[in-house]
Amino acid sequence: MNFNNKTALVTGAANGIGKAIAHQLGQLGAQLILVDRSEAVFQVAEQLKNDNVRVEAVICDLSNEDHIDHLWEDVKARYEKVDVLVNSAGIIKRQPISETSTFDFEKTMSINVMSVFQMSKHAVALMTKHGGGKIINFGSLLSFLGGFHAVAYSSSKGAIAQLTKSFSNEYAKHNIQVNAVAPGYIETDMNTDLKADAKRSVEVSERIPAERWGTPEDVAKVVCFLASDLSDYVTGTIIPVDGGVLAR
Ligand SMILES: NC(=O)c1ccc[n+]([C@@H]2O[C@H](COP(=O)([O-])OP(=O)(O)OC[C@H]3O[C@@H](n4cnc5c(N)ncnc54)[C@H](O)[C@@H]3O)[C@@H](O)[C@H]2O)c1
């Protein structure tokens, strides 16, 4: 895999899986645009610069469409092309349906789905002009299962599976491959509360055939495959990266 002469934009790059993707794509030669609402994204960029990666960090609140529009105006003015878009940013609020407000539901949909739609729409407009590209979205086990105490999150990740297929259908002929990964239980800040819950943590671990939680790097490797030309005839798929949980 080689990303020399490729530019990749990664959202949610300040933390967790997005950060691991930035490191792996950077090591493989990509020029990077790292996007997050957290200023920690600047530290990630500094680390990568020390490893001679060409990288820029941008603060952007992906729940705000104006921020997204400005981001892409800037990107188009300063970069010749964007070859890869990784939509990794996402949120979860675990709570029963009875305690889930319309505000919570809309906020989750706004970041987990609407921003992916808006970011991807900008990306395909640019990629179409430059001969193609790759978009990698983030589903979840809850793209396939309903889950418990995560109605907004599972609704958003179900939508991501369909959004991925819709974009894939319309843009395959433009040499743009659109796929999603569906991570299982990955050790990131998103699961700090789950890991800290002694009972739930054991229950989760017992469900994983691989007998370990995933790491951000486990997911990043599959994202790199989907971002590379090794996957040029793969589009419209949702690939579980879950240590075998869905196959149980
Ligand atoms: N960790 C898991 O077990 C797991 C499982 C399935 C799916 N996923 C998905 O993987 C993706 C990455 O998750 P993670 O575990 O790395 O989470 P994380 O919480 O470690 O990182 C998410 C990043 O998204 C950023 N972000 C959140 N809202 C934003 C906004 N409005 N604007 C800009 N940036 C924003 C955060 O600042 C953070 O840096 C998410 O889409 C998540 O739903 C994770």
Side-chain angles (χ1 to χ4, degrees), residues 9 29 77 82 88 148 187 239:
L9 192 159
V82 171
S88 181
F148 285 90
E187 294 203 39
I239 302 184

Side-chain angles (χ1 to χ4, degrees), residues 6 23 39 44 50 67 69 72 75 83 97 101 103 109 135 142 151 182 184 196 212-213 216:
K6 302 272 185 193
H23 276 276
E39 299 211 343
V44 177
N50 291 337
H67 286 200
D69 290 343
W72 281 93
V75 165
D83 304 282
I97 290 170
S101 65
F103 176 81
M109 293 301 280
I135 298 179
L142 299 192
V151 64
R212 68 170 178 87
W213 284 53

Side-chain angles (χ1 to χ4, degrees), residues 73-164:
E73 269 168 37
D74 200 37
V75 165
K76 281 189 274 189
R78 300 182 43 230
Y79 292 84
E80 191 192 325
K81 61 189 173 65
V82 171
D83 304 282
V84 177
L85 168 64
V86 181
N87 287 308
S88 181
I91 59 166
I92 187 169
K93 190 168 178 185
R94 291 191 178 84
Q95 54 193 357
I97 290 170
S98 59
E99 289 170 23
T100 303
S101 65
T102 301
F103 176 81
D104 290 334
F105 197 98
E106 280 181 349
K107 190 171 172 206
T108 304
M109 293 301 280
S110 154
I111 296 166
N112 292 8
V113 185
M114 200 57 83
S115 82
V116 175
F117 168 67
Q118 291 156 350
M119 291 290 291
S120 302
K121 220 175 136 188
H122 280 289
V124 291
L126 198 56
M127 288 171 177
T128 304
K129 285 188 194 152
H130 295 287
K134 307 274 187 179
I135 298 179
I136 298 100
N137 295 327
F138 272 72
S140 157
L141 296 179
L142 299 192
S143 297
F144 306 94
L145 309 170
F148 285 90
H149 293 175
V151 64
Y153 185 79
S154 69
S155 301
S156 74
K157 295 303 183 179
I160 282 296
Q162 298 308 91
L163 180 150
T164 298

Side-chain angles (χ1 to χ4, degrees), residues 12 14-18 36-38 60-63 88-91 111 138-140 153 157 183-186 188-191:
N15 243 308
I17 300 170
D36 207 289
R37 68 177 170 190
S38 161
C60 175
D61 178 359
L62 294 164
S63 65
S88 181
I91 59 166
I111 296 166
F138 272 72
S140 157
Y153 185 79
K157 295 303 183 179
Y185 296 99
I186 312 298
T188 69
D189 288 354
M190 190 169 267
N191 285 321

